[in-house]
Amino acid sequence: MAAPRLQTPAVAAANTLVENRSGVRSTEASSIADTLLRAPVPVRRAALKTLDAVDLTHVLAEVERETGSLYGLWADIPSGFIEDVLGESIWSKQREIVDAVPKHTRVMVPAGFGVGKTYTAGRLCAWAGATNPVGTMLVVTTATRFRQVHNQLWPHIRKTISRAGLPGFCDEVQWKMPDRWNNDVRVAYGFTAQAHDEASMQGIHGNPKLVIIVDEAGGIARSIGAGTNNLLTGDARMLAIGNPPTDDPRSWFEVMCEEGDEPGTVTIPIATLDSPAITGERVPYCLDCPPSVARHSLAIHLPAQDWVNRTIREYGEDHPYVIAKVHARFPKGGGKVIPTTWVEDAKDNEDPTGPGWVRLCDLDLDDEKATHTVKRGAWVRLGVDVAADGGDEFTIYRIVGDVVEHRHHSSGMANDNQVKVAKKILEEVQAAERLAKALGSTAKVHVKIDKNGLGHGAVGMLEVWGQNGRHHSEIFGVMVSESPDRDDPGAPMRPYRKRDEMWLATGTGRLRLRVDREAAIQLTTPNLGNNAGGYAVVESKKQMQARGMKSPDRAEAILLAIYEPNPRRRGIIA
């Protein structure tokens, strides 16, 4: 169902003109149009509000004759187009950003979380396409991944064009308008350039005017970024907006943002702390929601102080995530074992489909309800981090092929003895064996358990239960304080202990993380350092707790699930 049209007087007048073109020229309307086009923006916008529907129709007709566009009065003021033509509300930082585009070649916007990045980019696309004569302006939108273009930015663009009743029509990632000969002309489109494929950015500049909108700019590869710069000749503009990357020092986005003082480039940071819900800035009522929604302030849609406080509490003030997402600054020096972007990508990695892939919930197993896909024949493994003396969390995670899943967590009295712990592990072992059988896996389930504290007794009990036929999995007790299984003296980061080895090995390769929020945060929390011998050392649990962070029990169960002991040490062939 198409979105309802909530047309402003300007759009209604334009549509009336399109539907009833009489060719009648009004001398008075021509004079008003000429005066408005030359008037300062505040005077022009105030004068437009005094015109009734009939007068506005005639004035827009004269504006079209002079500028080639029904909306030529707003060609130099995007914020006015958003408010007067689209009938939507924006706040001060959004207004500053969009109004900078006609004045600067490059507008770079490092942005925090939830401040309306994609909303702003979508409305700017509508402005650029509607206020210029058909065939003179091309708007090109891009992002790191095509699904960001397709699923995030273009739904905003399609809704804006449809609801405001702007000319032309949109498909999934393309906007076309008819020219005066009734030919459909492409006004805007979205695509994604493959990293390092500089040729993909060539051949775009075929119109007198060009606007490039780079959404999620923090992930744009240097070669692609350089390709966009090469297009900025003549009457060309670029808006690059996105979160600063947390683990890519000297990224293209960061370097371009540092050019904020150079001619043609302006950098406008928009931190989460700038949100009107935090600053108290008076903002208009929201005009984007459907009329059926109760009237409310635009600030309701923006992050509040509670989100900031919770994020800082969960990650820590100095975490790259906080620096980038809260303060809209570029983290310096990194220092985390597992990059935040790796975790975010792993959470976003799409589920494969097709022959050989099946959803867990389709396997006719009562305890498998998940909808993500796994490959038939995939290897099933478990990782168990046992609470130390009942103080921390007892956690179990499972990996099936390349999918990591949360299975159990508990704390306190639920973990006060090794029998309770061992019985819970046995339940998960038996469920894993049923899953492996349903998938047709020929490999034994591997269960890796941290042997410290209660874990030592749980390992012993599970080994005995295996001998008695209560399960058929292979149980491995892992002492994370031991030397690493694999030690390469020539490696640039040489782990000191097995725990360091497990952490360093996890943030590489492709995984699909289907885990809880707490586990994802814990994976990005520990700092990476070096000891006096030059070995890589991961921050200890005690050190993390000393700076106010939780013990990473969930993260370490994930690490154990992924980790495989050295086959030579355990006397088997992998």
PDB file of all heavy atoms in Angstrom, residues 454-482:
ATOM      1  N   LEU A 454      35.148 -24.456  39.815  1.00  0.00           N
ATOM      2  CA  LEU A 454      34.161 -25.524  39.699  1.00  0.00           C
ATOM      3  C   LEU A 454      34.253 -26.250  38.369  1.00  0.00           C
ATOM      4  O   LEU A 454      33.775 -27.381  38.241  1.00  0.00           O
ATOM      5  CB  LEU A 454      32.745 -24.939  39.856  1.00  0.00           C
ATOM      6  CG  LEU A 454      32.368 -24.363  41.230  1.00  0.00           C
ATOM      7  CD1 LEU A 454      30.967 -23.788  41.178  1.00  0.00           C
ATOM      8  CD2 LEU A 454      32.450 -25.447  42.307  1.00  0.00           C
ATOM      9  N   GLY A 455      34.847 -25.628  37.392  1.00  0.00           N
ATOM     10  CA  GLY A 455      34.962 -26.257  36.083  1.00  0.00           C
ATOM     11  C   GLY A 455      35.750 -27.543  36.115  1.00  0.00           C
ATOM     12  O   GLY A 455      35.475 -28.471  35.333  1.00  0.00           O
ATOM     13  N   HIS A 456      36.738 -27.624  37.031  1.00  0.00           N
ATOM     14  CA  HIS A 456      37.566 -28.837  37.093  1.00  0.00           C
ATOM     15  C   HIS A 456      36.712 -30.048  37.469  1.00  0.00           C
ATOM     16  O   HIS A 456      36.790 -31.108  36.836  1.00  0.00           O
ATOM     17  CB  HIS A 456      38.682 -28.650  38.112  1.00  0.00           C
ATOM     18  CG  HIS A 456      39.673 -29.772  38.125  1.00  0.00           C
ATOM     19  ND1 HIS A 456      39.475 -30.937  38.860  1.00  0.00           N
ATOM     20  CD2 HIS A 456      40.860 -29.933  37.487  1.00  0.00           C
ATOM     21  CE1 HIS A 456      40.503 -31.747  38.669  1.00  0.00           C
ATOM     22  NE2 HIS A 456      41.354 -31.167  37.842  1.00  0.00           N
ATOM     23  N   GLY A 457      35.856 -29.887  38.485  1.00  0.00           N
ATOM     24  CA  GLY A 457      35.001 -30.993  38.896  1.00  0.00           C
ATOM     25  C   GLY A 457      33.960 -31.320  37.839  1.00  0.00           C
ATOM     26  O   GLY A 457      33.635 -32.500  37.620  1.00  0.00           O
ATOM     27  N   ALA A 458      33.430 -30.293  37.164  1.00  0.00           N
ATOM     28  CA  ALA A 458      32.420 -30.528  36.125  1.00  0.00           C
ATOM     29  C   ALA A 458      33.008 -31.310  34.966  1.00  0.00           C
ATOM     30  O   ALA A 458      32.354 -32.208  34.414  1.00  0.00           O
ATOM     31  CB  ALA A 458      31.865 -29.186  35.638  1.00  0.00           C
ATOM     32  N   VAL A 459      34.249 -31.029  34.617  1.00  0.00           N
ATOM     33  CA  VAL A 459      34.912 -31.766  33.540  1.00  0.00           C
ATOM     34  C   VAL A 459      35.020 -33.237  33.913  1.00  0.00           C
ATOM     35  O   VAL A 459      34.714 -34.136  33.110  1.00  0.00           O
ATOM     36  CB  VAL A 459      36.307 -31.180  33.255  1.00  0.00           C
ATOM     37  CG1 VAL A 459      37.118 -32.126  32.355  1.00  0.00           C
ATOM     38  CG2 VAL A 459      36.190 -29.812  32.594  1.00  0.00           C
ATOM     39  N   GLY A 460      35.421 -33.508  35.151  1.00  0.00           N
ATOM     40  CA  GLY A 460      35.556 -34.900  35.597  1.00  0.00           C
ATOM     41  C   GLY A 460      34.240 -35.649  35.542  1.00  0.00           C
ATOM     42  O   GLY A 460      34.176 -36.801  35.087  1.00  0.00           O
ATOM     43  N   MET A 461      33.172 -35.015  36.000  1.00  0.00           N
ATOM     44  CA  MET A 461      31.870 -35.674  36.000  1.00  0.00           C
ATOM     45  C   MET A 461      31.400 -35.947  34.570  1.00  0.00           C
ATOM     46  O   MET A 461      30.874 -37.033  34.280  1.00  0.00           O
ATOM     47  CB  MET A 461      30.843 -34.797  36.731  1.00  0.00           C
ATOM     48  CG  MET A 461      31.135 -34.627  38.217  1.00  0.00           C
ATOM     49  SD  MET A 461      29.895 -33.636  39.062  1.00  0.00           S
ATOM     50  CE  MET A 461      28.516 -34.763  39.044  1.00  0.00           C
ATOM     51  N   LEU A 462      31.589 -35.011  33.677  1.00  0.00           N
ATOM     52  CA  LEU A 462      31.157 -35.197  32.294  1.00  0.00           C
ATOM     53  C   LEU A 462      31.971 -36.300  31.610  1.00  0.00           C
ATOM     54  O   LEU A 462      31.431 -37.051  30.775  1.00  0.00           O
ATOM     55  CB  LEU A 462      31.274 -33.885  31.524  1.00  0.00           C
ATOM     56  CG  LEU A 462      30.178 -32.863  31.879  1.00  0.00           C
ATOM     57  CD1 LEU A 462      30.600 -31.464  31.490  1.00  0.00           C
ATOM     58  CD2 LEU A 462      28.861 -33.227  31.181  1.00  0.00           C
ATOM     59  N   GLU A 463      33.231 -36.392  31.942  1.00  0.00           N
ATOM     60  CA  GLU A 463      34.040 -37.476  31.371  1.00  0.00           C
ATOM     61  C   GLU A 463      33.521 -38.837  31.846  1.00  0.00           C
ATOM     62  O   GLU A 463      33.421 -39.784  31.037  1.00  0.00           O
ATOM     63  CB  GLU A 463      35.507 -37.288  31.770  1.00  0.00           C
ATOM     64  CG  GLU A 463      36.178 -36.128  31.045  1.00  0.00           C
ATOM     65  CD  GLU A 463      37.598 -35.885  31.524  1.00  0.00           C
ATOM     66  OE1 GLU A 463      37.928 -36.292  32.669  1.00  0.00           O
ATOM     67  OE2 GLU A 463      38.381 -35.280  30.765  1.00  0.00           O
ATOM     68  N   VAL A 464      33.164 -38.946  33.122  1.00  0.00           N
ATOM     69  CA  VAL A 464      32.626 -40.206  33.658  1.00  0.00           C
ATOM     70  C   VAL A 464      31.283 -40.520  32.997  1.00  0.00           C
ATOM     71  O   VAL A 464      31.008 -41.660  32.603  1.00  0.00           O
ATOM     72  CB  VAL A 464      32.476 -40.124  35.193  1.00  0.00           C
ATOM     73  CG1 VAL A 464      31.705 -41.343  35.722  1.00  0.00           C
ATOM     74  CG2 VAL A 464      33.843 -40.051  35.853  1.00  0.00           C
ATOM     75  N   TRP A 465      30.424 -39.491  32.862  1.00  0.00           N
ATOM     76  CA  TRP A 465      29.119 -39.716  32.222  1.00  0.00           C
ATOM     77  C   TRP A 465      29.284 -40.150  30.762  1.00  0.00           C
ATOM     78  O   TRP A 465      28.474 -40.912  30.242  1.00  0.00           O
ATOM     79  CB  TRP A 465      28.270 -38.450  32.297  1.00  0.00           C
ATOM     80  CG  TRP A 465      27.785 -38.163  33.706  1.00  0.00           C
ATOM     81  CD1 TRP A 465      27.677 -39.051  34.735  1.00  0.00           C
ATOM     82  CD2 TRP A 465      27.364 -36.893  34.214  1.00  0.00           C
ATOM     83  NE1 TRP A 465      27.217 -38.432  35.870  1.00  0.00           N
ATOM     84  CE2 TRP A 465      27.008 -37.096  35.582  1.00  0.00           C
ATOM     85  CE3 TRP A 465      27.253 -35.614  33.688  1.00  0.00           C
ATOM     86  CZ2 TRP A 465      26.550 -36.064  36.393  1.00  0.00           C
ATOM     87  CZ3 TRP A 465      26.778 -34.585  34.489  1.00  0.00           C
ATOM     88  CH2 TRP A 465      26.439 -34.802  35.823  1.00  0.00           C
ATOM     89  N   GLY A 466      30.312 -39.671  30.125  1.00  0.00           N
ATOM     90  CA  GLY A 466      30.591 -40.114  28.767  1.00  0.00           C
ATOM     91  C   GLY A 466      30.965 -41.586  28.727  1.00  0.00           C
ATOM     92  O   GLY A 466      30.512 -42.339  27.844  1.00  0.00           O
ATOM     93  N   GLN A 467      31.764 -42.018  29.690  1.00  0.00           N
ATOM     94  CA  GLN A 467      32.161 -43.424  29.760  1.00  0.00           C
ATOM     95  C   GLN A 467      30.962 -44.327  30.067  1.00  0.00           C
ATOM     96  O   GLN A 467      30.905 -45.481  29.632  1.00  0.00           O
ATOM     97  CB  GLN A 467      33.228 -43.604  30.838  1.00  0.00           C
ATOM     98  CG  GLN A 467      34.542 -42.912  30.511  1.00  0.00           C
ATOM     99  CD  GLN A 467      35.466 -42.839  31.714  1.00  0.00           C
ATOM    100  OE1 GLN A 467      35.167 -43.382  32.783  1.00  0.00           O
ATOM    101  NE2 GLN A 467      36.611 -42.157  31.550  1.00  0.00           N
ATOM    102  N   ASN A 468      29.978 -43.745  30.779  1.00  0.00           N
ATOM    103  CA  ASN A 468      28.781 -44.520  31.145  1.00  0.00           C
ATOM    104  C   ASN A 468      27.700 -44.452  30.068  1.00  0.00           C
ATOM    105  O   ASN A 468      26.601 -44.996  30.258  1.00  0.00           O
ATOM    106  CB  ASN A 468      28.200 -44.018  32.470  1.00  0.00           C
ATOM    107  CG  ASN A 468      29.139 -44.281  33.645  1.00  0.00           C
ATOM    108  OD1 ASN A 468      29.999 -45.162  33.566  1.00  0.00           O
ATOM    109  ND2 ASN A 468      28.984 -43.514  34.716  1.00  0.00           N
ATOM    110  N   GLY A 469      27.962 -43.776  28.974  1.00  0.00           N
ATOM    111  CA  GLY A 469      27.037 -43.741  27.854  1.00  0.00           C
ATOM    112  C   GLY A 469      25.953 -42.678  27.925  1.00  0.00           C
ATOM    113  O   GLY A 469      25.010 -42.694  27.118  1.00  0.00           O
ATOM    114  N   ARG A 470      26.070 -41.711  28.861  1.00  0.00           N
ATOM    115  CA  ARG A 470      25.037 -40.666  28.955  1.00  0.00           C
ATOM    116  C   ARG A 470      25.214 -39.613  27.854  1.00  0.00           C
ATOM    117  O   ARG A 470      24.306 -38.840  27.591  1.00  0.00           O
ATOM    118  CB  ARG A 470      25.052 -40.012  30.341  1.00  0.00           C
ATOM    119  CG  ARG A 470      24.719 -40.995  31.457  1.00  0.00           C
ATOM    120  CD  ARG A 470      24.592 -40.307  32.805  1.00  0.00           C
ATOM    121  NE  ARG A 470      23.444 -39.388  32.865  1.00  0.00           N
ATOM    122  CZ  ARG A 470      23.149 -38.671  33.958  1.00  0.00           C
ATOM    123  NH1 ARG A 470      23.917 -38.757  35.047  1.00  0.00           N
ATOM    124  NH2 ARG A 470      22.097 -37.862  33.928  1.00  0.00           N
ATOM    125  N   HIS A 471      26.364 -39.581  27.258  1.00  0.00           N
ATOM    126  CA  HIS A 471      26.589 -38.733  26.078  1.00  0.00           C
ATOM    127  C   HIS A 471      27.734 -39.346  25.281  1.00  0.00           C
ATOM    128  O   HIS A 471      28.442 -40.259  25.760  1.00  0.00           O
ATOM    129  CB  HIS A 471      26.900 -37.277  26.476  1.00  0.00           C
ATOM    130  CG  HIS A 471      28.241 -37.096  27.126  1.00  0.00           C
ATOM    131  ND1 HIS A 471      29.421 -36.981  26.409  1.00  0.00           N
ATOM    132  CD2 HIS A 471      28.601 -37.011  28.448  1.00  0.00           C
ATOM    133  CE1 HIS A 471      30.435 -36.823  27.248  1.00  0.00           C
ATOM    134  NE2 HIS A 471      29.972 -36.844  28.490  1.00  0.00           N
ATOM    135  N   HIS A 472      27.918 -38.852  24.058  1.00  0.00           N
ATOM    136  CA  HIS A 472      28.964 -39.401  23.184  1.00  0.00           C
ATOM    137  C   HIS A 472      29.867 -38.289  22.634  1.00  0.00           C
ATOM    138  O   HIS A 472      30.461 -38.440  21.574  1.00  0.00           O
ATOM    139  CB  HIS A 472      28.307 -40.175  22.031  1.00  0.00           C
ATOM    140  CG  HIS A 472      27.386 -41.253  22.500  1.00  0.00           C
ATOM    141  ND1 HIS A 472      27.830 -42.459  23.010  1.00  0.00           N
ATOM    142  CD2 HIS A 472      26.018 -41.289  22.570  1.00  0.00           C
ATOM    143  CE1 HIS A 472      26.787 -43.205  23.345  1.00  0.00           C
ATOM    144  NE2 HIS A 472      25.674 -42.522  23.091  1.00  0.00           N
ATOM    145  N   SER A 473      29.935 -37.196  23.364  1.00  0.00           N
ATOM    146  CA  SER A 473      30.739 -36.051  22.932  1.00  0.00           C
ATOM    147  C   SER A 473      32.142 -36.134  23.511  1.00  0.00           C
ATOM    148  O   SER A 473      32.419 -36.908  24.436  1.00  0.00           O
ATOM    149  CB  SER A 473      30.081 -34.746  23.379  1.00  0.00           C
ATOM    150  OG  SER A 473      28.798 -34.612  22.805  1.00  0.00           O
ATOM    151  N   GLU A 474      33.037 -35.293  22.959  1.00  0.00           N
ATOM    152  CA  GLU A 474      34.408 -35.235  23.450  1.00  0.00           C
ATOM    153  C   GLU A 474      34.530 -34.026  24.378  1.00  0.00           C
ATOM    154  O   GLU A 474      34.169 -32.901  24.005  1.00  0.00           O
ATOM    155  CB  GLU A 474      35.378 -35.092  22.280  1.00  0.00           C
ATOM    156  CG  GLU A 474      36.658 -35.848  22.526  1.00  0.00           C
ATOM    157  CD  GLU A 474      37.513 -35.984  21.280  1.00  0.00           C
ATOM    158  OE1 GLU A 474      36.971 -35.915  20.162  1.00  0.00           O
ATOM    159  OE2 GLU A 474      38.725 -36.142  21.457  1.00  0.00           O
ATOM    160  N   ILE A 475      34.995 -34.248  25.587  1.00  0.00           N
ATOM    161  CA  ILE A 475      35.084 -33.210  26.614  1.00  0.00           C
ATOM    162  C   ILE A 475      36.537 -32.756  26.734  1.00  0.00           C
ATOM    163  O   ILE A 475      37.445 -33.576  26.896  1.00  0.00           O
ATOM    164  CB  ILE A 475      34.579 -33.732  27.982  1.00  0.00           C
ATOM    165  CG1 ILE A 475      33.187 -34.357  27.851  1.00  0.00           C
ATOM    166  CG2 ILE A 475      34.602 -32.609  29.006  1.00  0.00           C
ATOM    167  CD1 ILE A 475      32.115 -33.403  27.404  1.00  0.00           C
ATOM    168  N   PHE A 476      36.738 -31.446  26.684  1.00  0.00           N
ATOM    169  CA  PHE A 476      38.090 -30.884  26.834  1.00  0.00           C
ATOM    170  C   PHE A 476      38.103 -29.884  27.979  1.00  0.00           C
ATOM    171  O   PHE A 476      37.364 -28.888  27.959  1.00  0.00           O
ATOM    172  CB  PHE A 476      38.530 -30.168  25.558  1.00  0.00           C
ATOM    173  CG  PHE A 476      38.563 -31.049  24.346  1.00  0.00           C
ATOM    174  CD1 PHE A 476      37.527 -31.029  23.426  1.00  0.00           C
ATOM    175  CD2 PHE A 476      39.628 -31.909  24.129  1.00  0.00           C
ATOM    176  CE1 PHE A 476      37.553 -31.848  22.317  1.00  0.00           C
ATOM    177  CE2 PHE A 476      39.666 -32.723  23.020  1.00  0.00           C
ATOM    178  CZ  PHE A 476      38.624 -32.701  22.107  1.00  0.00           C
ATOM    179  N   GLY A 477      38.900 -30.157  28.974  1.00  0.00           N
ATOM    180  CA  GLY A 477      39.133 -29.178  30.027  1.00  0.00           C
ATOM    181  C   GLY A 477      40.246 -28.238  29.586  1.00  0.00           C
ATOM    182  O   GLY A 477      41.336 -28.684  29.223  1.00  0.00           O
ATOM    183  N   VAL A 478      39.980 -26.950  29.594  1.00  0.00           N
ATOM    184  CA  VAL A 478      40.933 -25.958  29.083  1.00  0.00           C
ATOM    185  C   VAL A 478      41.437 -25.110  30.240  1.00  0.00           C
ATOM    186  O   VAL A 478      40.652 -24.481  30.956  1.00  0.00           O
ATOM    187  CB  VAL A 478      40.271 -25.053  28.021  1.00  0.00           C
ATOM    188  CG1 VAL A 478      41.271 -24.023  27.515  1.00  0.00           C
ATOM    189  CG2 VAL A 478      39.731 -25.892  26.869  1.00  0.00           C
ATOM    190  N   MET A 479      42.751 -25.081  30.416  1.00  0.00           N
ATOM    191  CA  MET A 479      43.375 -24.205  31.406  1.00  0.00           C
ATOM    192  C   MET A 479      43.882 -22.960  30.666  1.00  0.00           C
ATOM    193  O   MET A 479      44.904 -23.016  29.964  1.00  0.00           O
ATOM    194  CB  MET A 479      44.521 -24.922  32.106  1.00  0.00           C
ATOM    195  CG  MET A 479      44.068 -25.986  33.079  1.00  0.00           C
ATOM    196  SD  MET A 479      43.119 -25.311  34.481  1.00  0.00           S
ATOM    197  CE  MET A 479      44.390 -24.362  35.315  1.00  0.00           C
ATOM    198  N   VAL A 480      43.169 -21.866  30.816  1.00  0.00           N
ATOM    199  CA  VAL A 480      43.500 -20.673  30.038  1.00  0.00           C
ATOM    200  C   VAL A 480      44.806 -20.031  30.481  1.00  0.00           C
ATOM    201  O   VAL A 480      45.367 -19.192  29.789  1.00  0.00           O
ATOM    202  CB  VAL A 480      42.355 -19.644  30.117  1.00  0.00           C
ATOM    203  CG1 VAL A 480      41.106 -20.210  29.484  1.00  0.00           C
ATOM    204  CG2 VAL A 480      42.086 -19.203  31.547  1.00  0.00           C
ATOM    205  N   SER A 481      45.315 -20.438  31.659  1.00  0.00           N
ATOM    206  CA  SER A 481      46.571 -19.860  32.155  1.00  0.00           C
ATOM    207  C   SER A 481      47.802 -20.573  31.598  1.00  0.00           C
ATOM    208  O   SER A 481      48.934 -20.133  31.827  1.00  0.00           O
ATOM    209  CB  SER A 481      46.598 -19.912  33.685  1.00  0.00           C
ATOM    210  OG  SER A 481      46.461 -21.255  34.141  1.00  0.00           O
ATOM    211  N   GLU A 482      47.591 -21.680  30.865  1.00  0.00           N
ATOM    212  CA  GLU A 482      48.726 -22.414  30.308  1.00  0.00           C
ATOM    213  C   GLU A 482      49.326 -21.693  29.103  1.00  0.00           C
ATOM    214  O   GLU A 482      48.759 -20.721  28.590  1.00  0.00           O
ATOM    215  CB  GLU A 482      48.272 -23.810  29.887  1.00  0.00           C
ATOM    216  CG  GLU A 482      47.895 -24.708  31.046  1.00  0.00           C
ATOM    217  CD  GLU A 482      47.447 -26.089  30.565  1.00  0.00           C
ATOM    218  OE1 GLU A 482      47.249 -26.248  29.326  1.00  0.00           O
ATOM    219  OE2 GLU A 482      47.302 -26.990  31.399  1.00  0.00           O
TER     220      GLU A 482
END
